């Protein structure tokens, strides 16, 4: 879990974690949401983040790609540390462009899909590669078609998000993130806004990604996904990591009392 | 009613239509550009610029356009630094004064319309754009402006129609557009009813055409808001 010391900065090293997070803290007003979270994700790791609502798991995920700015701590993507500085008593990124570049390397899938509603599915997918990565349009379209095929909505390429079911929208959103060829994929409760019968199609896509070796961090309430797809489970409680380990260990004998109570609420 | 007189009146008034169209199109263009600047100051982080933009919007929305036009037309010449500047040959022209005051005024309204357009962008769509690495001008150009413009278009259409009608005020600073020419005809013929009916008809036809164009634009820009018969809904 914490095999490598993660403070090396600069060129990516063989064996260095894809993503390394050190001692992230975050408060909203007087309420401390994250109390020093650290995590290393190696290449191909699929890490499920579990926890009751309010435990800070989504905030933690959003701190990683700086949609929330952590009060303290460091984030290292593929050996490159995100530079922070103090301004007006607050911690802010030192270099906007570095943050933009980091974000383009971290795929983010949101709970409510967040597709751009005025663009077709195909336009949604090529938007980042064409305009952020400045890659040739024709090439991006070709790749986008392949991604749509992969997530099973090739026939929807010219549809608008509002014309798709939730499951299809979420699969389109996953394809949009993949089009950026991310180093790590972050999933923020990707199936929580879906009708129960649509959850399976999204989980299948995520399972396929995991099998391809994509490094993934997944905030989820899907216990079977956490148990069978991920190779590591982290249970968060009150802004801290309560238990952390392989699913078999955590779900059986390694569980803390809090985790046992948590999964008890799921009827399992 | 005297149809021959109506027909000749119509011809005389239509001859003034290019002037009305020039006032309208120039002030919509300049006003729109100025509105972009004002709304950028209004929503930006600089408190001085924000304060200035707020003041600008209040002044030009809060006072009568006619008085603004009189102030520009009669007032500017009283300032020596304007009267003796290189701008004076332009600023003493009634047409320039009319375009200037129409632009300044519509910019105030349009800035506010654009601001509401910006405010109605779903936060999650902005967040998605940030998450793929967009910020600053790229974010504005690709995501914020297209969505804001679509949201603002219905209200902006109304403002554009108001501008067509507002050009009539230019007649009071001696610009010979449709209304000005109509008044001159009335002074010559004392046939108020016929002449003004013709003038009203011209404005109505003009606004009808502009409205059709804007409705077409709105239709073209909003396929995502229509139901899609081409795509079978919610299939798994």
């Amino acid at each position: 879990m914490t095999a490598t010391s993660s403070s090396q900065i600069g060129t990516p090293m063989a064996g260095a974690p894809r993503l390394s997070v050190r001692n992230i803290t975050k408060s909203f007003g007087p309420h401390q949401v994250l109390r020093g979270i650290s995590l290393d994700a190696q290449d191909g790791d699929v890490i499920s983040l579990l926890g009751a609502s309010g435990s800070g798991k989504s905030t933690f995920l959003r701190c990683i790609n700086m949609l929330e700015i952590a009060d303290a701590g460091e984030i290292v993507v593929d050996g490159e540390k995100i530079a922070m500085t103090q301004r007006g008593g607050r911690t802010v990124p030192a270099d906007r462009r570095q943050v933009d570049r980091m974000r383009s390397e971290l795929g983010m899938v949101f709970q409510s899909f967040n597709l751009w509603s005025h663009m077709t599915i195909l336009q949604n997918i090529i938007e980042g590669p064409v305009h952020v990565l400045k890659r040739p349009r024709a090439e991006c379209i070709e790749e986008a078609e392949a991604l749509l095929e992969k997530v099973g909505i090739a026939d929807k390429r010219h549809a608008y998000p509002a014309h798709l079911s939730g499951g299809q929208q979420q699969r389109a959103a996953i394809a949009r993130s993949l089009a950026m060829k991310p180093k790590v994929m972050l999933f923020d409760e990707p199936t929580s806004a879906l009708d129960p019968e649509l959850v399976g199609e999204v989980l299948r896509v995520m399972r396929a990604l995991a099998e391809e070796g994509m490094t993934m961090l997944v905030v989820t309430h899907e216990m079977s996904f956490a148990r069978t797809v991920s190779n590591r489970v982290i249970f968060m409680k009150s802004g801290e990591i309560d238990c952390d380990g392989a699913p078999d260990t955590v779900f059986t004998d390694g569980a803390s009392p809090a985790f046992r109570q948590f999964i008890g609420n799921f009827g399992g | 009613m005297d149809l021959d007189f109506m027909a000749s009146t119509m011809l005389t008034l239509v001859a003034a239509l290019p002037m009305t169209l020039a006032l309208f199109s120039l002030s919509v263009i300049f006003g729109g550009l100025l509105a972009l600047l004002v709304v950028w100051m209004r929503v930006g982080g600089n408190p001085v610029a924000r304060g200035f933009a707020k003041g600008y919007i209040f002044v030009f929305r809060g006072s009568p356009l006619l008085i603004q036009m009189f102030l520009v037309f009669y007032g500017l010449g009283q300032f020596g630094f304007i009267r003796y500047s290189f701008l004076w040959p332009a600023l003493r022209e009634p047409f320039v004064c009319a375009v200037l005051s129409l632009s300044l005024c519509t910019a105030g309204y349009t800035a506010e319309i654009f601001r509401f357009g910006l405010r109605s962008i779903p936060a999650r769509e902005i967040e998605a754009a940030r998450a793929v690495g967009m910020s600053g001008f790229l974010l504005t150009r690709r995501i914020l402006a297209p969505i804001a413009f679509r949201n603002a278009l219905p209200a902006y259409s109304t403002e554009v129609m108001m501008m067509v009608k507002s050009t009539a005020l230019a007649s009071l600073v001696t610009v010979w557009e449709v209304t000005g020419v109509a008044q001159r005809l009335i002074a010559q013929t004392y046939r108020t009813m016929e002449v003004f009916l013709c003038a009203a008809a011209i404005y109505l036809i003009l606004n009808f055409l502009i409205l059709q164009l804007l409705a077409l634009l709105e239709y073209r820009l909003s396929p995502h808001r229509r139901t899609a018969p081409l795509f079978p809904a919610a299939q798994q």
Side-chain angles (χ1 to χ4, degrees):
Chain A
M1 283 179 291
T2 51
T4 39
S5 76
S6 60
S7 50
Q8 70 270 67
I9 294 159
T11 51
M13 294 172 54
R18 278 280 172 171
L19 173 71
S20 176
V21 182
R22 287 282 139 254
N23 287 317
I24 292 285
T25 61
K26 174 74 182 171
S27 298
F28 293 113
H31 180 52
Q32 196 173 12
V33 184
L34 299 176
R35 303 165 191 267
I37 306 266
S38 300
L39 175 154
D40 282 332
Q42 306 295 335
D43 203 14
D45 269 352
V46 178
I47 302 175
S48 288
L49 287 163
L50 307 177
S53 79
S55 60
K57 55 198 191 308
S58 281
T59 304
F60 173 57
L61 202 71
R62 292 167 57 81
C63 281
I64 294 174
N65 73 349
M66 315 223 109
L67 289 176
E68 307 283 355
I69 305 294
D71 299 333
E74 62 177 52
I75 294 155
V76 184
V77 179
D78 229 4
E80 183 181 348
K81 185 183 162 193
I82 301 182
M84 303 301 285
T85 184
Q86 295 289 323
R87 201 171 301 147
R90 292 173 55 203
T91 308
V92 291
D95 179 3
R96 282 265 85 181
R97 274 169 308 187
Q98 191 197 21
V99 172
D100 287 344
R101 187 158 44 76
M102 289 296 193
R103 283 173 173 163
S104 74
E105 295 170 356
L106 298 170
M108 179 82 169
V109 175
F110 298 90
Q111 182 175 352
S112 17
F113 334 128
N114 301 16
L115 293 167
W116 297 300
S117 55
H118 64 297
M119 295 184 193
T120 65
I121 297 304
L122 187 67
Q123 287 167 341
N124 262 280
I125 294 175
I126 64 171
E127 181 67 21
V130 171
H131 294 283
V132 177
L133 304 179
K134 315 252 182 257
R135 295 180 45 215
R137 191 180 186 86
E139 200 178 296
C140 296
I141 291 178
E142 210 169 290
E143 286 178 17
E145 306 262 349
L147 283 169
L148 284 170
E149 200 73 54
K150 182 171 167 176
V151 301
I153 49 171
D155 57 324
K156 301 293 179 200
R157 60 167 78 82
H158 297 305
Y160 288 88
H163 302 147
L164 267 57
S165 71
Q168 290 168 337
Q169 288 191 50
Q170 192 60 297
R171 285 184 282 154
I174 293 173
R176 174 175 68 177
S177 292
L178 290 175
M180 298 295 285
K181 301 191 165 80
K183 292 174 173 166
V184 179
M185 286 282 280
L186 310 173
F187 293 84
D188 188 6
E189 304 204 28
T191 58
S192 297
L194 296 176
D195 291 338
E197 77 270 21
L198 302 178
V199 169
E201 63 192 63
V202 172
L203 290 181
R204 268 195 296 281
V205 169
M206 291 168 62
R207 181 188 287 263
L209 271 184
E211 282 161 3
E212 283 169 26
M214 174 63 76
T215 311
M216 296 160 64
L217 244 67
V218 186
V219 172
T220 186
H221 292 293
E222 293 295 328
M223 291 304 144
S224 67
F225 179 89
R227 206 163 180 161
T228 60
V229 181
S230 49
N231 66 343
R232 185 170 156 201
V233 170
I234 291 175
F235 175 65
M236 285 179 64
K237 181 174 164 269
S238 315
E240 284 170 321
I241 292 180
D242 185 62
C243 46
D244 179 352
D248 285 344
T249 326
V250 172
F251 274 94
T252 49
D253 41 57
S256 67
F259 184 63
R260 271 195 292 274
Q261 194 196 352
F262 174 72
I263 52 172
N265 294 338
F266 282 83
Chain B
M1 239 181 260
D2 180 350
L3 284 180
D4 282 348
F5 176 72
M6 294 283 271
S8 71
T9 301
M10 212 51 172
L11 283 177
T12 315
L13 293 184
V14 165
L17 190 56
M19 180 56 89
T20 292
L21 286 174
L23 287 168
F24 164 73
S25 47
L26 287 176
S27 48
V28 165
I29 292 167
F30 289 133
L33 293 174
L34 189 55
L36 290 179
L37 181 69
V38 173
V39 80
W40 177 66
M41 291 164 74
R42 177 65 181 81
V43 302
N46 186 326
V48 178
R50 191 165 60 230
F52 176 82
K54 272 187 186 171
Y56 180 93
I57 290 167
F58 176 70
V59 165
F60 284 96
R61 288 205 309 169
S63 62
L65 172 56
L66 183 58
I67 290 178
Q68 293 167 22
M69 208 178 272
F70 282 159
L71 282 172
V72 169
F73 184 62
Y74 297 112
L76 285 185
Q78 304 195 351
F79 296 100
F81 68 93
I82 289 173
R83 203 179 173 99
Y84 298 106
S85 79
F86 70 100
L87 288 171
W88 183 242
L91 283 176
R92 70 177 176 204
E93 291 297 325
F95 177 76
V96 174
C97 290
V99 168
L100 181 62
S101 47
L102 284 167
S103 304
L104 289 171
C105 180
T106 189
Y109 286 95
T110 307
E112 210 52 1
I113 290 169
F114 286 171
R115 187 167 71 90
F116 287 121
L118 282 173
R119 268 177 34 161
S120 58
I121 302 174
R124 54 174 67 148
E125 295 189 28
I126 301 174
E127 198 159 72
R130 291 198 183 284
V132 295
M134 287 191 191
S135 65
F137 183 66
L138 181 66
L139 178 69
T140 307
R141 182 170 66 84
R142 293 298 311 169
I143 304 293
L144 302 184
I147 300 177
F149 184 72
R150 282 169 171 80
N151 290 342
L153 198 50
Y156 184 61
S157 299
T158 307
E159 174 59 19
V160 169
M161 280 181 78
M162 298 289 287
M163 284 307 287
V164 171
K165 299 190 289 177
S166 298
T167 58
L169 292 176
S171 63
L172 296 170
V173 292
T174 72
V175 177
W176 295 108
E177 43 65 72
V178 172
T179 306
V181 171
Q183 280 176 317
R184 191 166 59 186
L185 268 180
I186 290 165
Q188 291 160 359
T189 63
Y190 299 104
R191 297 170 84 159
T192 314
M193 191 66 178
E194 285 106 321
V195 176
F196 273 152
L197 274 177
C198 287
I202 288 177
Y203 284 107
L204 280 172
I205 293 166
L206 183 56
N207 257 336
F208 177 78
L209 294 175
I210 289 170
L211 208 60
Q212 294 305 305
L213 279 177
L214 287 165
L216 181 68
L217 179 65
E218 204 182 322
Y219 181 83
R220 284 287 188 80
L221 288 178
S222 60
H224 59 291
R225 297 216 177 102
R226 294 194 286 277
T227 50
L230 283 174
F231 314 111
Q235 57 171 222
Q236 275 177 250

